[in-house]
Amino acid sequence: MGNKLAKKLQVILDKSIDKKRIFGTSFYIQHDKFSWIGGSGNLTPDAPFFIASTTKLFITALVLNLQQKGLLKLDDRISKYLPKEVLLDLHTFEGIDYTYILTIKNLLAHSSGIPDYFQIKGPSEKSLIHQLLEGNDQSWTPAEAISISKSMRPLFIPNTVGKAHYSDTNYQLLELIIEKITGQPLAKLLNQTLFDPLQLQSTYLYTNPRDNTPSPFYYKDKLLEIPQAMSSFRADGGIVSTTKELMQFVRAFFNGTFFPESQIAQLAKWNPIFSPLQAGIGIHQFKLPWIFDPAGKIPELIGHSGLTGTVAFYSPKEKLYITGTVNQVAHPDLAFKLAIKLIKAIQKGSDK
């Protein structure tokens, strides 16, 4: 069954390459004792690529590891760690300042109500993402990202029941908190706490715009080269990895390597963000609505995804791990569609 299934999975990848939207893809699946990794188009299984917001799963692991070491608590107020200039005007909603009730958990869960410096239109009438997609590469610091966010109106009062809004600003703030607590730059801390213990040789935080190691990604049918921006995302989207090493990390995340495995259930407090994704505390849930999966065959997946079409998920029900990318900014949903095809093939192969 193994060889036959592996060939079928490879065919699925090969057929996805249309050279209009997907020019290269790589996926890795582990299901019970079955393991398969494949690449197609201009990506090999060992090719390093930008994982974009899947970076946030690494930051979650880092924060939970710091909590395990007694260096912070998720319910700590962020005002305990951030200077006054960062806190000033951070969250004033309808005339009331809610900055000093914000917690680390709010940032992880996107329940802060703080605007997204990256995707929401600011005073310039063009969001930062649209400027980048137009080819206007630029760099910024966490302080500048937070300043952009302050120029926008907060979306809701922190901890509003049932409310979440995806905001990269939350993770720029988390970077400042992490560096304040540890006294170390984020890149060094990621190496020491996550990458080195797992012996990840090709996974790192992208900080040098002159670094040409990562595979360039696409926006529609053109390469999008924005190295200054990629070196600025940092905690909210700056990690480079490979399909194989991303799998190593996801398995470690869910098996208790960095924090007690029992904590995973505590992270599963879901609020809708982008259908069919829901935000938990530092993790996301992908679950197809009944109308698209009436038989309920596609299992709940928990983990994270990124704007470059990167996915890193675990299915508790199926005991299945899946990581991969389609390396496409304009159609990141294609990564989920491809993942579903691969999972269906695995399920069908397992039934035989």
Side-chain angles (χ1 to χ4, degrees):
M1 186 269 284
N3 287 337
K4 187 176 181 181
L5 179 55
K7 288 180 180 178
K8 186 173 183 179
L9 296 174
Q10 185 62 49
V11 168
I12 291 172
L13 286 196
D14 292 341
K15 285 185 175 180
S16 73
I17 305 298
D18 57 13
K19 295 187 178 179
K20 294 179 181 178
R21 298 180 302 173
I22 301 181
F23 294 81
T25 183
S26 177
F27 271 82
Y28 195 175
I29 297 182
Q30 292 187 359
H31 181 235
D32 291 334
K33 295 180 180 179
F34 177 78
S35 180
W36 173 83
I37 186 169
S40 194
N42 62 14
L43 284 184
T44 66
D46 295 322
F49 55 88
F50 291 105
I51 69 171
S53 282
T54 310
T55 295
K56 293 181 175 70
L57 199 62
F58 288 79
I59 301 303
T60 299
L62 197 53
V63 170
L64 294 175
N65 182 263
L66 291 173
Q67 179 176 248
Q68 178 66 15
K69 292 173 179 174
L71 296 176
L72 61 77
K73 294 179 181 178
L74 296 192
D75 289 324
D76 284 347
R77 296 193 175 186
I78 67 172
S79 56
K80 180 178 178 180
Y81 304 107
L82 296 175
K84 288 183 180 179
E85 59 266 25
V86 173
L87 297 169
L88 182 65
D89 296 325
L90 184 62
H91 193 307
T92 300
F93 185 80
E94 295 183 353
I96 301 174
D97 189 351
Y98 293 97
T99 301
Y100 288 84
I101 70 168
L102 288 166
T103 65
I104 290 174
K105 185 184 292 182
N106 289 143
L107 302 183
L108 285 169
H110 298 292
S111 59
S112 67
I114 294 173
D116 184 2
Y117 79 92
F118 183 54
Q119 298 200 55
I120 295 179
K121 290 181 181 179
S124 70
E125 294 301 316
K126 278 190 178 182
S127 65
L128 183 51
I129 184 174
H130 280 102
Q131 293 176 50
L132 296 174
L133 293 178
E134 288 177 349
N136 181 16
D137 189 21
Q138 54 194 288
S139 62
W140 58 88
T141 64
E144 288 169 338
I146 293 162
S147 178
I148 293 171
S149 177
K150 287 180 180 181
S151 71
M152 305 169 182
R153 183 177 180 272
L155 296 135
F156 51 82
I157 298 169
N159 300 310
T160 301
V161 176
K163 284 273 192 179
H165 184 86
Y166 190 83
S167 175
D168 293 288
T169 313
N170 290 323
Y171 280 73
Q172 293 272 333
L173 289 163
L174 281 170
E175 176 178 343
L176 297 180
I177 291 170
I178 290 167
E179 292 188 339
K180 171 67 175 177
I181 290 170
T182 63
Q184 296 186 61
L186 181 64
K188 184 177 180 181
L189 200 61
L190 286 167
N191 287 337
Q192 291 179 345
T193 310
L194 306 182
F195 305 159
D196 291 347
L198 295 178
Q199 297 183 315
L200 305 183
Q201 302 297 316
S202 301
T203 301
Y204 62 98
L205 186 67
Y206 187 84
T207 58
N208 181 4
R210 294 180 297 278
D211 175 8
N212 295 319
T213 305
S215 304
F217 50 85
Y218 288 80
Y219 175 61
K220 299 182 179 178
D221 62 350
K222 291 182 172 56
L223 288 172
L224 184 62
E225 299 186 58
I226 47 171
Q228 291 187 70
M230 297 315 297
S231 66
S232 303
F233 285 118
R234 303 167 64 85
D236 58 305
I239 288 178
V240 172
S241 190
T242 67
T243 302
K244 183 177 181 180
E245 293 194 356
L246 198 51
M247 175 63 75
Q248 289 175 255
F249 169 74
V250 171
R251 289 188 65 93
F253 184 95
F254 288 105
N255 71 15
T257 299
F258 304 118
F259 54 88
E261 190 176 351
S262 58
Q263 278 198 274
I264 297 296
Q266 298 169 26
L267 305 178
K269 312 296 182 186
W270 309 119
N271 285 308
I273 43 168
F274 314 117
S275 180
L277 283 174
Q278 297 202 82
I281 301 170
I283 62 174
H284 286 174
Q285 178 202 57
F286 175 81
K287 188 171 177 58
L288 283 177
W290 175 86
I291 192 169
F292 296 116
D293 184 30
K297 289 187 176 182
I298 302 302
E300 170 201 38
L301 299 172
I302 54 176
H304 218 290
S305 59
L307 187 62
T308 49
T310 298
V311 292
F313 284 95
Y314 167 59
S315 163
K317 179 183 177 182
E318 296 276 352
K319 298 293 185 287
L320 179 147
Y321 297 85
I322 183 166
T323 59
T325 188
V326 295
N327 222 26
Q328 170 62 261
V329 172
H331 306 283
D333 59 304
L334 293 176
F336 287 99
K337 291 177 180 177
L338 194 48
I340 288 170
K341 287 181 181 179
L342 294 169
I343 291 170
K344 284 182 175 179
I346 290 277
Q347 290 173 326
K348 192 173 181 180
S350 300
D351 291 340
K352 292 181 180 179

